[in-house]
Amino acid sequence: MRHTLTSLAAAAVLTFAGGASAWTLKEAAAPYKGTTIKAIFLDRPGYAAAQKLIPQFEQETGIKVTWEVIPYESSRERQVLNFASQGGEVDVALVDVVWIGEFASNGWLVPINKFTSDPKLADPELNLKGFFPILLESFGTWNKEVYGLPFDNYSGLMFYNKCMLEEAGFKEPPKTWDELLNTYGPKLTKPEKNQYAFALQSRRGETQSADSFMRVLWPFGGSLLNDKFRSNLMSAESQKGLEFRQQLMKYMPPGIVDYDHAEAVNALAQGNVAMITEWSAFYSTLMDPTKSKVKDCLAITTEPAGPAGLKPALGGFSLAVSSQSPAAKQAASWLLIQWLTSAKMAVPYIEAGGVSGRVDAYKGLEDKYQFVKPMVASWQGGVPDYRPRFPEWASITEIVAEWGTRIMLNEVSVKDGAAAIGQRMEAVLQEAGYYEGKKPLLK
Amino acid sequence: MATTVDPLPAEGPTEDPMGAAGPRPGRMRLSPAVWFLAPAVLALAAVGIYPLGVAVVNSLHRYNLARPNAPTPFVGLDNYVAVLSDPSFWGAVGRTFAFLALVLPAELALGVLFALALHRPGLGLMRALTRVALVIPIATTYAVVGLIGRLIFNRQFGVANQALSWVGLPPVDWLGDPTLAFVAIAIMDVWQWTPFCALILLAGLTMVPRETEEAARLETTSAWSIFRHLQLPYLLPGITAILILRTADVLKLFDAVFVMTRGGPGTATELISIYVQRVAFRVFDQGLASAQAVILLVITIVLSRLYIKFVYREV
């Protein structure tokens, strides 16, 4: 936290001492005019929004920005291979919430303190406190050091078809998971009409582990690990959550274990399911009349609460500067990241289809964008370590994805599957040295 | 190998028929064969032998690419022991051979049928068009085959379920059911590689002497007899090549399956290549993944030798 505070203090000092008018992006970028930097992007709405805005940055700074659009499933591999081989091909690293521990502890990212302490590069209006604290802490911070600024920000939300709910006699969406299962599920599921109450994307991969498995642990009071980094999956709360998912499957479309984000969103968009819990970023897809039949029936609320309260899914990406880039490219990359995630660009970013991490950006937008109110509520009550962010997550997510799917297919019981995950997960953590005190218990 | 060096005569004039002056004393003259083979050998060494050597070295170390600050100690055969005692590895190997046992006979049988059909005289333009059409699946990128597969076997709007509805059957979860997902990836593989088998076997059929074939047709009207005693021997070298190439292909089949199912649901379609990819490029455990790859290479070589020993025959 010390470094975060240092960064905040530095930004504050710059604001008051230097004066906002003294610093301009154009002047800051002048030494780097003509520099070309490369970013890693995904094929998602937030990146399309950034691509629309970047020409403005290029025009103002003379810095040329290129990007490579990569499927999510390959994006970590692409970057790890680049960093491990000292490839120097990535200047602006894309850091998923679950990669920050790995990228930062390997020294692949530059702490932002290097830039915020440089008056020539630090925008006096940077204002790190202007980000939702959960986003900055979760997406950009590792071991109390800030490395990245929240860029593509997600919260799990419930998207539902209010017309279908009204037809079934419901005036409002379910407030709890229990209500969804016992009250809404039976009335909204009509297999003969190919209509189902709910779809929980559960395809093997990060979708299974993050979107499906973890989603039913936290609201029921469970978690993957306890404070000592031992498996917590055999606890009564975790077991209850996992058993709940099995019961809920009878109100989901057949083949739900093959549903990725696209399938779940499409099922709602085509009117085949009444409710989904998905990332806020899919709002623009569901509101696009060329992709969605339910635009006029679409409504959004927070995810249902469990016995432990509202514990929605948390995900997203920060942008960070690669430590392997030359100094000029690092500076140019920082200027881009700082500009793209700035308070000034937050509203244009939202209007271009992105989801900003700036608190103030949403003031006055609650009525314009349905997702704003539930998303802000979710970010105010979420779990920062919804998924562990340590480097070992890459191994653990594979274990959870395999056994989580097998549990859903009834190939193993919830108890046996959870035990298998726990045993394998602890073996990974044992090898990493957490139990012998070789590594701090950071997640 | 082609590194023979011609010894120079100790003394006296050279016997160069062109009358050119011989090499100076003390210089060695490399056989022309060396120069002809050198580019191929160098290319093979660069893209095949060197990476294999690196893989073998990696397999003897603890080496995780995503832990650049961790030591990479020599661990002897520990990685091999870990692989050989890993039930997930053997599960993936079992699924791969089950997949091979499913697709290879189907591709061979269909390939023979297509080849025989195309070998019949008098089909003219139709035959020419069919030959071109056969190249399309082979030329399709694996990842695109996977995407096509996802569309064909989509539960709601896929062609496969549409076809079932035509015969009065209800839709099924091709990619959500473990058994059907396995069948679905097998169907896509058969779709892509049957034409390859057909073209190889068609080339084999064109080797049958026309006079012999005509004489055989005068001798018997049994197509089976002609195939069994005359055409099949000419097909055996092609069949051996197909067995070796397709076995190697299936052992490294990744893109299409990954795009279609990501190895799921559960582990239903987790073939060995997907398992190795997970270890190598998700976990980044290069030591373990290299040991797995070396074991796979040994399996491939053994199978290839067996195919050659039991199937291949010179005509």
Side-chain angles (χ1 to χ4, degrees), chain A residues 63 66 79 81 83 123 139 234 239 245 262 303 354 392 401:
Chain A
I63 294 167
T66 61
Q79 293 185 94
L81 288 176
F83 289 133
D123 182 347
F139 303 174
M234 299 309 283
Q239 288 287 305
R245 183 172 66 157
E303 288 191 9
E392 289 69 29

Side-chain angles (χ1 to χ4, degrees), chain B residues 184-249:
Chain B
I185 62 167
I187 290 173
M188 290 313 291
D189 192 79
V190 171
W191 172 80
Q192 187 175 24
W193 292 106
T194 294
F196 170 76
C197 300
L199 289 174
I200 296 243
L201 297 173
L202 185 60
L205 288 175
T206 59
M207 301 293 287
V208 181
R210 187 182 295 262
E211 303 77 17
T212 317
E213 199 172 331
E214 282 171 2
R217 290 193 194 285
L218 292 172
E219 285 289 325
T220 178
T221 54
S222 165
W224 169 248
S225 291
I226 295 172
F227 175 73
R228 170 70 186 86
H229 298 291
L230 177 64
Q231 293 169 320
L232 186 59
Y234 285 90
L235 296 182
L236 287 178
I239 289 174
T240 311
I242 288 168
L243 289 174
I244 293 171
L245 291 173
R246 289 300 299 134
T247 301
D249 272 351

Side-chain angles (χ1 to χ4, degrees), chain A residues 114-364:
Chain A
K114 178 180 173 181
F115 309 110
T116 53
S117 60
D118 182 346
K120 288 179 185 164
L121 293 173
D123 182 347
E125 293 177 5
L126 171 61
N127 186 20
L128 291 177
K129 278 188 173 172
F131 288 105
F132 283 92
I134 193 174
L135 304 183
L136 187 63
E137 184 190 339
S138 196
F139 303 174
T141 309
W142 181 249
N143 201 9
K144 299 172 185 171
E145 181 90 68
V146 180
Y147 290 88
L149 299 184
F151 163 66
D152 186 22
N153 311 286
Y154 308 148
S155 171
L157 299 175
M158 172 171 272
F159 294 86
Y160 63 97
N161 184 329
K162 63 183 175 203
C163 303
M164 282 171 82
L165 261 64
E166 279 166 14
E167 229 171 81
F170 299 112
K171 286 186 179 162
E172 54 182 24
K175 288 192 170 59
T176 65
W177 284 107
D178 187 60
E179 236 184 328
L180 194 157
L181 173 72
N182 295 314
T183 312
Y184 287 68
K187 282 199 172 175
L188 285 161
T189 302
K190 295 168 186 163
E192 69 284 357
K193 289 184 179 174
N194 195 25
Q195 182 191 308
Y196 298 88
F198 184 66
L200 181 63
Q201 57 283 5
S202 300
R203 197 176 184 207
R204 187 172 171 179
E206 195 72 15
T207 309
Q208 166 65 220
S209 52
D211 292 86
S212 185
F213 191 90
M214 298 300 290
R215 187 168 249 127
V216 294
L217 290 183
W218 289 105
F220 290 84
S223 63
L224 196 64
L225 296 168
N226 63 19
D227 291 344
K228 292 177 180 165
F229 272 33
R230 294 288 176 183
S231 169
N232 192 37
L233 292 176
M234 299 309 283
S235 68
E237 294 83 3
S238 296
Q239 288 287 305
K240 195 175 171 193
L242 292 171
E243 289 286 2
F244 172 85
R245 183 172 66 157
Q246 296 303 103
Q247 292 171 36
L248 193 57
M249 278 179 72
K250 58 179 176 260
Y251 302 123
M252 297 189 208
I256 195 70
V257 288
D258 189 51
Y259 271 49
D260 211 331
H261 299 287
E263 283 78 14
V265 170
N266 191 51
L268 180 69
Q270 299 307 313
N272 298 119
V273 302
M275 297 171 277
I276 60 171
T277 43
E278 256 298 359
W279 298 119
S280 40
F282 288 103
Y283 172 76
S284 50
T285 309
L286 286 163
M287 288 301 285
D288 180 350
T290 63
K291 295 174 184 165
S292 172
K293 286 182 186 172
V294 300
K295 180 175 178 283
D296 297 330
C297 289
L298 185 72
I300 306 168
T301 184
T302 52
E303 288 191 9
L310 174 64
K311 303 281 180 186
L314 178 70
F317 297 81
S318 65
L319 293 179
V321 177
S322 161
S323 63
Q324 295 176 358
S325 295
K329 290 195 175 207
Q330 285 187 0
S333 300
W334 165 253
L335 289 174
L336 172 71
I337 295 168
Q338 182 178 236
W339 177 82
L340 206 49
T341 60
S342 65
K344 182 182 150 198
M345 295 307 298
V347 173
Y349 180 58
I350 294 168
E351 288 182 340
V355 179
S356 170
R358 292 280 180 178
V359 179
D360 289 344
Y362 297 103
K363 285 178 184 159

